[in-house]
Amino acid sequence: MDKAWDQVDGILEDWVWEMVAALKSQLAQSVNVGLAEWVTLAHNHYTTAVHNTRLVGQEIAALLQWLQESVQFSPSHVHLIGYSLGAHVSGFAGSYMSRKHKIGRITGLDAAGPLFEKASLSDRLSPDDANFVDAIHTFTWEHMGLSVGIKQPIAHYDFYPNGGSYQPGCHFLELYKHFAKHGLNAITRTVKCAHERSVHLFIDSLLHADMQSMAYLCRDMDRFSQGLCLSCKKGRCNTLGYHTRQERQSKKSKSLFLVTRAQSPFKVYHYQFKIQFINQTENPVEPTFTVSFLGTRGERQKIPITLSKGITSNETYSFLITLDVDIGELIMIKFKWENRMVWSNVWNTVQTIIPWGRGSLHSGLALKSISVKVGETQQRMTFCSENMNDLLLHPAREKTFVRCEANSETLKRKIR
């Protein structure tokens, strides 16, 4: 395990001991934990520290080669865990090993970005450096073309929690809280929060073995936020952290996305919702909704939904909803068009001028069906209005949807 040194205040950070304790407590029968202390080489100007990562990696490789020769300890049993610059130290250590005696696994925790982004494979952590390489990216927000953590894929599996740019609870909006606690070090602490989140996600995977965070192969976070990437077919999903499924594969990296909570345990439950609206007015409708869930193990009330564009004609909208607790199998969904004064006045005026009859769909906004896919269980289900004679949505009124059998047309349109 590398990069245990805090370059800000010059002491070993608390997470180092948390990581060691988690590894020893959860894997006590099968693991020995060692720390690579490179204090004098790391506590320098950044460019000098970057140069030293290769030297430290070479020393670690020499140690592993000595263990192999003296006590027949196979490098394939070694798991190097490196944070920030330490991720690249681990990569260099792996690159100095012979092809016949590769390191078993390297985990890069928000590998450093400056001077490594877009570097050649031999000048940074890469999939070639171990039999299996995984990386967690948590602070890839760019400023003036640079980011604290490396943005590009560098492993067999690259995990991007919350898109990899920011992390819940680490936004700069929280800066004033850090000023009260840390004074002038507030900005440094705020940056460290997101950068170091990679470490705590990994520790969390050890401490909560029964609550593993699932991530899903996707092109980018925008597509993931639409709920379009919750497939586990053909290795498209994997758990984040220590228990990641290790697969020997091509050199092409797989980028996986997920959402997490702001604190441990970080796991959330991912749901794709596809909602088919029918708008029978000529003008686009841009409402805000809330949705409530009832499951076999609990419920969640009034989760806000804001559509990215107005509802026009007959359209289906797909989006991601996450819950921080397991409510079991969904039984009922309650959908509410939130009361906006303007919309209420318009609606009342329209009803006065055009008093449509029961069940009529001559005008207004209707919701035909809700299709759901659960990421963690891969279960698909369809919900229909409890009252099929009235599909209209009314401002400030809640409509209940219950499980129903999907018709043949719905079955053909599988949730991707």
mmCIF file of all heavy atoms in Angstrom, residues 219-253:
data_model
loop_
_atom_site.group_PDB
_atom_site.id
_atom_site.type_symbol
_atom_site.label_atom_id
_atom_site.label_comp_id
_atom_site.label_asym_id
_atom_site.label_seq_id
_atom_site.Cartn_x
_atom_site.Cartn_y
_atom_site.Cartn_z
ATOM 1 N N ARG A 219 -21.217 4.741 -21.345
ATOM 2 C CA ARG A 219 -20.382 5.643 -22.131
ATOM 3 C C ARG A 219 -19.997 6.890 -21.335
ATOM 4 O O ARG A 219 -18.873 7.363 -21.400
ATOM 5 C CB ARG A 219 -21.126 6.039 -23.411
ATOM 6 C CG ARG A 219 -20.301 6.859 -24.388
ATOM 7 C CD ARG A 219 -21.031 7.007 -25.706
ATOM 8 N NE ARG A 219 -22.290 7.715 -25.540
ATOM 9 C CZ ARG A 219 -23.439 7.377 -26.141
ATOM 10 N NH1 ARG A 219 -23.474 6.319 -26.928
ATOM 11 N NH2 ARG A 219 -24.524 8.081 -25.958
ATOM 12 N N ASP A 220 -20.945 7.448 -20.587
ATOM 13 C CA ASP A 220 -20.677 8.649 -19.796
ATOM 14 C C ASP A 220 -21.754 8.799 -18.735
ATOM 15 O O ASP A 220 -22.737 8.065 -18.704
ATOM 16 C CB ASP A 220 -20.600 9.902 -20.686
ATOM 17 C CG ASP A 220 -21.817 10.066 -21.578
ATOM 18 O OD1 ASP A 220 -22.949 9.913 -21.085
ATOM 19 O OD2 ASP A 220 -21.633 10.325 -22.777
ATOM 20 N N MET A 221 -21.570 9.799 -17.854
ATOM 21 C CA MET A 221 -22.495 9.979 -16.738
ATOM 22 C C MET A 221 -23.845 10.506 -17.210
ATOM 23 O O MET A 221 -24.874 10.197 -16.593
ATOM 24 C CB MET A 221 -21.886 10.939 -15.710
ATOM 25 C CG MET A 221 -22.656 10.999 -14.394
ATOM 26 S SD MET A 221 -22.714 9.375 -13.565
ATOM 27 C CE MET A 221 -23.826 9.745 -12.186
ATOM 28 N N ASP A 222 -23.878 11.274 -18.282
ATOM 29 C CA ASP A 222 -25.158 11.780 -18.788
ATOM 30 C C ASP A 222 -26.070 10.630 -19.201
ATOM 31 O O ASP A 222 -27.257 10.619 -18.860
ATOM 32 C CB ASP A 222 -24.924 12.717 -19.980
ATOM 33 C CG ASP A 222 -24.346 14.053 -19.568
ATOM 34 O OD1 ASP A 222 -24.449 14.387 -18.372
ATOM 35 O OD2 ASP A 222 -23.773 14.752 -20.425
ATOM 36 N N ARG A 223 -25.514 9.689 -19.917
ATOM 37 C CA ARG A 223 -26.300 8.525 -20.337
ATOM 38 C C ARG A 223 -26.683 7.681 -19.125
ATOM 39 O O ARG A 223 -27.801 7.171 -19.040
ATOM 40 C CB ARG A 223 -25.509 7.700 -21.350
ATOM 41 C CG ARG A 223 -26.284 6.556 -21.959
ATOM 42 C CD ARG A 223 -25.513 5.921 -23.113
ATOM 43 N NE ARG A 223 -26.187 4.731 -23.614
ATOM 44 C CZ ARG A 223 -27.211 4.746 -24.451
ATOM 45 N NH1 ARG A 223 -27.683 5.895 -24.887
ATOM 46 N NH2 ARG A 223 -27.769 3.610 -24.861
ATOM 47 N N PHE A 224 -25.759 7.550 -18.173
ATOM 48 C CA PHE A 224 -26.051 6.776 -16.973
ATOM 49 C C PHE A 224 -27.195 7.416 -16.182
ATOM 50 O O PHE A 224 -28.046 6.720 -15.632
ATOM 51 C CB PHE A 224 -24.800 6.674 -16.100
ATOM 52 C CG PHE A 224 -24.976 5.807 -14.887
ATOM 53 C CD1 PHE A 224 -25.023 4.429 -14.998
ATOM 54 C CD2 PHE A 224 -25.116 6.375 -13.627
ATOM 55 C CE1 PHE A 224 -25.204 3.621 -13.881
ATOM 56 C CE2 PHE A 224 -25.294 5.580 -12.501
ATOM 57 C CZ PHE A 224 -25.338 4.199 -12.631
ATOM 58 N N SER A 225 -27.234 8.753 -16.137
ATOM 59 C CA SER A 225 -28.263 9.468 -15.388
ATOM 60 C C SER A 225 -29.645 9.292 -15.997
ATOM 61 O O SER A 225 -30.646 9.602 -15.354
ATOM 62 C CB SER A 225 -27.918 10.962 -15.312
ATOM 63 O OG SER A 225 -26.721 11.151 -14.591
ATOM 64 N N GLN A 226 -29.689 8.820 -17.237
ATOM 65 C CA GLN A 226 -30.970 8.508 -17.857
ATOM 66 C C GLN A 226 -31.408 7.069 -17.554
ATOM 67 O O GLN A 226 -32.451 6.625 -18.024
ATOM 68 C CB GLN A 226 -30.875 8.697 -19.371
ATOM 69 C CG GLN A 226 -30.604 10.124 -19.798
ATOM 70 C CD GLN A 226 -30.443 10.238 -21.308
ATOM 71 O OE1 GLN A 226 -31.302 9.801 -22.078
ATOM 72 N NE2 GLN A 226 -29.339 10.815 -21.748
ATOM 73 N N GLY A 227 -30.583 6.367 -16.799
ATOM 74 C CA GLY A 227 -30.923 4.995 -16.436
ATOM 75 C C GLY A 227 -30.738 4.007 -17.565
ATOM 76 O O GLY A 227 -31.287 2.901 -17.530
ATOM 77 N N LEU A 228 -29.943 4.383 -18.576
ATOM 78 C CA LEU A 228 -29.820 3.547 -19.771
ATOM 79 C C LEU A 228 -28.721 2.501 -19.685
ATOM 80 O O LEU A 228 -28.475 1.786 -20.657
ATOM 81 C CB LEU A 228 -29.578 4.444 -20.997
ATOM 82 C CG LEU A 228 -30.673 5.460 -21.301
ATOM 83 C CD1 LEU A 228 -30.274 6.347 -22.472
ATOM 84 C CD2 LEU A 228 -32.002 4.760 -21.587
ATOM 85 N N CYS A 229 -28.035 2.410 -18.533
ATOM 86 C CA CYS A 229 -26.850 1.542 -18.457
ATOM 87 C C CYS A 229 -26.894 0.583 -17.275
ATOM 88 O O CYS A 229 -25.864 0.312 -16.664
ATOM 89 C CB CYS A 229 -25.590 2.404 -18.377
ATOM 90 S SG CYS A 229 -25.360 3.542 -19.752
ATOM 91 N N LEU A 230 -28.060 0.074 -16.947
ATOM 92 C CA LEU A 230 -28.163 -0.795 -15.772
ATOM 93 C C LEU A 230 -28.138 -2.278 -16.122
ATOM 94 O O LEU A 230 -28.731 -3.099 -15.428
ATOM 95 C CB LEU A 230 -29.440 -0.461 -14.982
ATOM 96 C CG LEU A 230 -29.509 0.937 -14.369
ATOM 97 C CD1 LEU A 230 -30.743 1.059 -13.482
ATOM 98 C CD2 LEU A 230 -28.250 1.259 -13.566
ATOM 99 N N SER A 231 -27.419 -2.628 -17.162
ATOM 100 C CA SER A 231 -27.357 -4.029 -17.582
ATOM 101 C C SER A 231 -26.173 -4.744 -16.935
ATOM 102 O O SER A 231 -25.097 -4.178 -16.774
ATOM 103 C CB SER A 231 -27.225 -4.124 -19.099
ATOM 104 O OG SER A 231 -27.021 -5.461 -19.499
ATOM 105 N N CYS A 232 -26.391 -5.997 -16.577
ATOM 106 C CA CYS A 232 -25.315 -6.838 -16.046
ATOM 107 C C CYS A 232 -24.954 -7.964 -17.015
ATOM 108 O O CYS A 232 -24.186 -8.860 -16.665
ATOM 109 C CB CYS A 232 -25.716 -7.420 -14.690
ATOM 110 S SG CYS A 232 -25.606 -6.238 -13.331
ATOM 111 N N LYS A 233 -25.477 -7.920 -18.224
ATOM 112 C CA LYS A 233 -25.170 -8.956 -19.210
ATOM 113 C C LYS A 233 -23.723 -8.846 -19.667
ATOM 114 O O LYS A 233 -23.193 -7.759 -19.844
ATOM 115 C CB LYS A 233 -26.110 -8.823 -20.407
ATOM 116 C CG LYS A 233 -27.568 -9.134 -20.104
ATOM 117 C CD LYS A 233 -28.415 -9.004 -21.364
ATOM 118 C CE LYS A 233 -29.875 -9.347 -21.072
ATOM 119 N NZ LYS A 233 -30.711 -9.183 -22.292
ATOM 120 N N LYS A 234 -23.107 -9.993 -19.873
ATOM 121 C CA LYS A 234 -21.760 -10.080 -20.436
ATOM 122 C C LYS A 234 -20.753 -9.193 -19.710
ATOM 123 O O LYS A 234 -19.961 -8.478 -20.322
ATOM 124 C CB LYS A 234 -21.792 -9.730 -21.924
ATOM 125 C CG LYS A 234 -22.652 -10.670 -22.749
ATOM 126 C CD LYS A 234 -22.654 -10.286 -24.222
ATOM 127 C CE LYS A 234 -23.518 -11.234 -25.038
ATOM 128 N NZ LYS A 234 -23.546 -10.863 -26.474
ATOM 129 N N GLY A 235 -20.780 -9.236 -18.394
ATOM 130 C CA GLY A 235 -19.799 -8.513 -17.594
ATOM 131 C C GLY A 235 -19.960 -7.010 -17.590
ATOM 132 O O GLY A 235 -19.003 -6.282 -17.318
ATOM 133 N N ARG A 236 -21.178 -6.503 -17.846
ATOM 134 C CA ARG A 236 -21.391 -5.062 -17.914
ATOM 135 C C ARG A 236 -21.550 -4.410 -16.543
ATOM 136 O O ARG A 236 -21.693 -3.192 -16.457
ATOM 137 C CB ARG A 236 -22.622 -4.751 -18.775
ATOM 138 C CG ARG A 236 -22.433 -5.029 -20.259
ATOM 139 C CD ARG A 236 -23.575 -4.395 -21.053
ATOM 140 N NE ARG A 236 -23.454 -4.673 -22.474
ATOM 141 C CZ ARG A 236 -24.176 -5.562 -23.137
ATOM 142 N NH1 ARG A 236 -25.062 -6.291 -22.464
ATOM 143 N NH2 ARG A 236 -24.021 -5.748 -24.426
ATOM 144 N N CYS A 237 -21.548 -5.189 -15.478
ATOM 145 C CA CYS A 237 -21.599 -4.587 -14.143
ATOM 146 C C CYS A 237 -20.574 -5.286 -13.253
ATOM 147 O O CYS A 237 -20.146 -6.405 -13.530
ATOM 148 C CB CYS A 237 -23.001 -4.668 -13.538
ATOM 149 S SG CYS A 237 -23.552 -6.330 -13.071
ATOM 150 N N ASN A 238 -20.184 -4.607 -12.196
ATOM 151 C CA ASN A 238 -19.186 -5.156 -11.278
ATOM 152 C C ASN A 238 -19.279 -4.401 -9.956
ATOM 153 O O ASN A 238 -19.735 -3.254 -9.912
ATOM 154 C CB ASN A 238 -17.774 -5.015 -11.865
ATOM 155 C CG ASN A 238 -16.807 -6.054 -11.328
ATOM 156 O OD1 ASN A 238 -17.048 -6.664 -10.293
ATOM 157 N ND2 ASN A 238 -15.705 -6.261 -12.039
ATOM 158 N N THR A 239 -18.825 -5.045 -8.891
ATOM 159 C CA THR A 239 -18.828 -4.389 -7.591
ATOM 160 C C THR A 239 -17.579 -3.531 -7.437
ATOM 161 O O THR A 239 -16.510 -3.866 -7.941
ATOM 162 C CB THR A 239 -18.880 -5.426 -6.452
ATOM 163 O OG1 THR A 239 -17.839 -6.386 -6.642
ATOM 164 C CG2 THR A 239 -20.222 -6.132 -6.432
ATOM 165 N N LEU A 240 -17.731 -2.431 -6.744
ATOM 166 C CA LEU A 240 -16.628 -1.499 -6.534
ATOM 167 C C LEU A 240 -15.879 -1.851 -5.253
ATOM 168 O O LEU A 240 -16.490 -2.177 -4.245
ATOM 169 C CB LEU A 240 -17.181 -0.072 -6.453
ATOM 170 C CG LEU A 240 -16.211 1.064 -6.115
ATOM 171 C CD1 LEU A 240 -16.614 2.336 -6.839
ATOM 172 C CD2 LEU A 240 -16.166 1.331 -4.607
ATOM 173 N N GLY A 241 -14.548 -1.779 -5.305
ATOM 174 C CA GLY A 241 -13.757 -1.974 -4.086
ATOM 175 C C GLY A 241 -13.012 -3.291 -4.038
ATOM 176 O O GLY A 241 -12.705 -3.893 -5.076
ATOM 177 N N TYR A 242 -12.740 -3.750 -2.835
ATOM 178 C CA TYR A 242 -11.902 -4.927 -2.659
ATOM 179 C C TYR A 242 -12.467 -6.159 -3.348
ATOM 180 O O TYR A 242 -11.736 -6.966 -3.922
ATOM 181 C CB TYR A 242 -11.701 -5.213 -1.169
ATOM 182 C CG TYR A 242 -10.816 -6.418 -0.930
ATOM 183 C CD1 TYR A 242 -9.435 -6.289 -0.965
ATOM 184 C CD2 TYR A 242 -11.359 -7.681 -0.709
ATOM 185 C CE1 TYR A 242 -8.605 -7.394 -0.791
ATOM 186 C CE2 TYR A 242 -10.546 -8.790 -0.530
ATOM 187 C CZ TYR A 242 -9.163 -8.637 -0.568
ATOM 188 O OH TYR A 242 -8.355 -9.727 -0.409
ATOM 189 N N HIS A 243 -13.791 -6.308 -3.314
ATOM 190 C CA HIS A 243 -14.424 -7.532 -3.828
ATOM 191 C C HIS A 243 -14.773 -7.447 -5.314
ATOM 192 O O HIS A 243 -15.577 -8.247 -5.803
ATOM 193 C CB HIS A 243 -15.683 -7.842 -3.011
ATOM 194 C CG HIS A 243 -15.393 -8.091 -1.561
ATOM 195 N ND1 HIS A 243 -14.788 -9.240 -1.107
ATOM 196 C CD2 HIS A 243 -15.595 -7.310 -0.467
ATOM 197 C CE1 HIS A 243 -14.642 -9.170 0.211
ATOM 198 N NE2 HIS A 243 -15.124 -8.012 0.620
ATOM 199 N N THR A 244 -14.187 -6.523 -6.027
ATOM 200 C CA THR A 244 -14.390 -6.433 -7.465
ATOM 201 C C THR A 244 -14.113 -7.775 -8.144
ATOM 202 O O THR A 244 -13.126 -8.438 -7.829
ATOM 203 C CB THR A 244 -13.440 -5.374 -8.075
ATOM 204 O OG1 THR A 244 -13.828 -4.083 -7.606
ATOM 205 C CG2 THR A 244 -13.496 -5.368 -9.581
ATOM 206 N N ARG A 245 -14.979 -8.155 -9.040
ATOM 207 C CA ARG A 245 -14.790 -9.409 -9.794
ATOM 208 C C ARG A 245 -13.619 -9.223 -10.751
ATOM 209 O O ARG A 245 -13.615 -8.339 -11.597
ATOM 210 C CB ARG A 245 -16.062 -9.746 -10.569
ATOM 211 C CG ARG A 245 -15.990 -11.067 -11.339
ATOM 212 C CD ARG A 245 -17.263 -11.310 -12.122
ATOM 213 N NE ARG A 245 -17.438 -10.381 -13.231
ATOM 214 C CZ ARG A 245 -18.291 -9.353 -13.230
ATOM 215 N NH1 ARG A 245 -19.045 -9.101 -12.175
ATOM 216 N NH2 ARG A 245 -18.391 -8.562 -14.291
ATOM 217 N N GLN A 246 -12.613 -10.058 -10.605
ATOM 218 C CA GLN A 246 -11.412 -9.943 -11.426
ATOM 219 C C GLN A 246 -11.553 -10.809 -12.672
ATOM 220 O O GLN A 246 -11.770 -12.003 -12.579
ATOM 221 C CB GLN A 246 -10.183 -10.365 -10.621
ATOM 222 C CG GLN A 246 -9.960 -9.523 -9.361
ATOM 223 C CD GLN A 246 -8.732 -9.952 -8.595
ATOM 224 O OE1 GLN A 246 -7.706 -10.282 -9.183
ATOM 225 N NE2 GLN A 246 -8.826 -9.942 -7.270
ATOM 226 N N GLU A 247 -11.412 -10.163 -13.815
ATOM 227 C CA GLU A 247 -11.540 -10.875 -15.079
ATOM 228 C C GLU A 247 -10.343 -10.584 -15.961
ATOM 229 O O GLU A 247 -9.936 -9.428 -16.103
ATOM 230 C CB GLU A 247 -12.819 -10.442 -15.816
ATOM 231 C CG GLU A 247 -14.101 -10.843 -15.122
ATOM 232 C CD GLU A 247 -15.326 -10.438 -15.926
ATOM 233 O OE1 GLU A 247 -15.160 -9.710 -16.920
ATOM 234 O OE2 GLU A 247 -16.425 -10.851 -15.556
ATOM 235 N N ARG A 248 -9.784 -11.612 -16.532
ATOM 236 C CA ARG A 248 -8.729 -11.441 -17.529
ATOM 237 C C ARG A 248 -9.414 -11.103 -18.845
ATOM 238 O O ARG A 248 -10.282 -11.824 -19.315
ATOM 239 C CB ARG A 248 -7.907 -12.712 -17.658
ATOM 240 C CG ARG A 248 -7.203 -13.112 -16.368
ATOM 241 C CD ARG A 248 -6.345 -14.331 -16.591
ATOM 242 N NE ARG A 248 -5.228 -14.038 -17.473
ATOM 243 C CZ ARG A 248 -4.049 -13.587 -17.047
ATOM 244 N NH1 ARG A 248 -3.859 -13.382 -15.750
ATOM 245 N NH2 ARG A 248 -3.068 -13.344 -17.898
ATOM 246 N N GLN A 249 -9.033 -9.997 -19.433
ATOM 247 C CA GLN A 249 -9.719 -9.531 -20.623
ATOM 248 C C GLN A 249 -8.749 -8.793 -21.519
ATOM 249 O O GLN A 249 -7.550 -8.755 -21.275
ATOM 250 C CB GLN A 249 -10.859 -8.600 -20.220
ATOM 251 C CG GLN A 249 -10.366 -7.429 -19.356
ATOM 252 C CD GLN A 249 -11.508 -6.537 -18.914
ATOM 253 O OE1 GLN A 249 -12.638 -6.952 -18.803
ATOM 254 N NE2 GLN A 249 -11.195 -5.287 -18.654
ATOM 255 N N SER A 250 -9.268 -8.198 -22.576
ATOM 256 C CA SER A 250 -8.431 -7.428 -23.491
ATOM 257 C C SER A 250 -7.909 -6.186 -22.788
ATOM 258 O O SER A 250 -8.356 -5.830 -21.699
ATOM 259 C CB SER A 250 -9.241 -7.022 -24.724
ATOM 260 O OG SER A 250 -10.281 -6.136 -24.344
ATOM 261 N N LYS A 251 -6.962 -5.521 -23.422
ATOM 262 C CA LYS A 251 -6.355 -4.331 -22.826
ATOM 263 C C LYS A 251 -7.308 -3.138 -22.802
ATOM 264 O O LYS A 251 -7.026 -2.142 -22.151
ATOM 265 C CB LYS A 251 -5.075 -3.959 -23.578
ATOM 266 C CG LYS A 251 -3.958 -4.988 -23.432
ATOM 267 C CD LYS A 251 -2.701 -4.537 -24.145
ATOM 268 C CE LYS A 251 -1.591 -5.559 -23.970
ATOM 269 N NZ LYS A 251 -0.341 -5.152 -24.659
ATOM 270 N N LYS A 252 -8.425 -3.235 -23.507
ATOM 271 C CA LYS A 252 -9.369 -2.134 -23.528
ATOM 272 C C LYS A 252 -10.038 -1.989 -22.174
ATOM 273 O O LYS A 252 -10.582 -2.944 -21.616
ATOM 274 C CB LYS A 252 -10.421 -2.360 -24.616
ATOM 275 C CG LYS A 252 -11.362 -1.177 -24.785
ATOM 276 C CD LYS A 252 -12.349 -1.406 -25.914
ATOM 277 C CE LYS A 252 -13.282 -0.213 -26.064
ATOM 278 N NZ LYS A 252 -14.258 -0.408 -27.169
ATOM 279 N N SER A 253 -10.012 -0.785 -21.627
ATOM 280 C CA SER A 253 -10.586 -0.530 -20.311
ATOM 281 C C SER A 253 -12.108 -0.504 -20.373
ATOM 282 O O SER A 253 -12.697 -0.130 -21.391
ATOM 283 C CB SER A 253 -10.084 0.804 -19.766
ATOM 284 O OG SER A 253 -8.677 0.816 -19.650
#
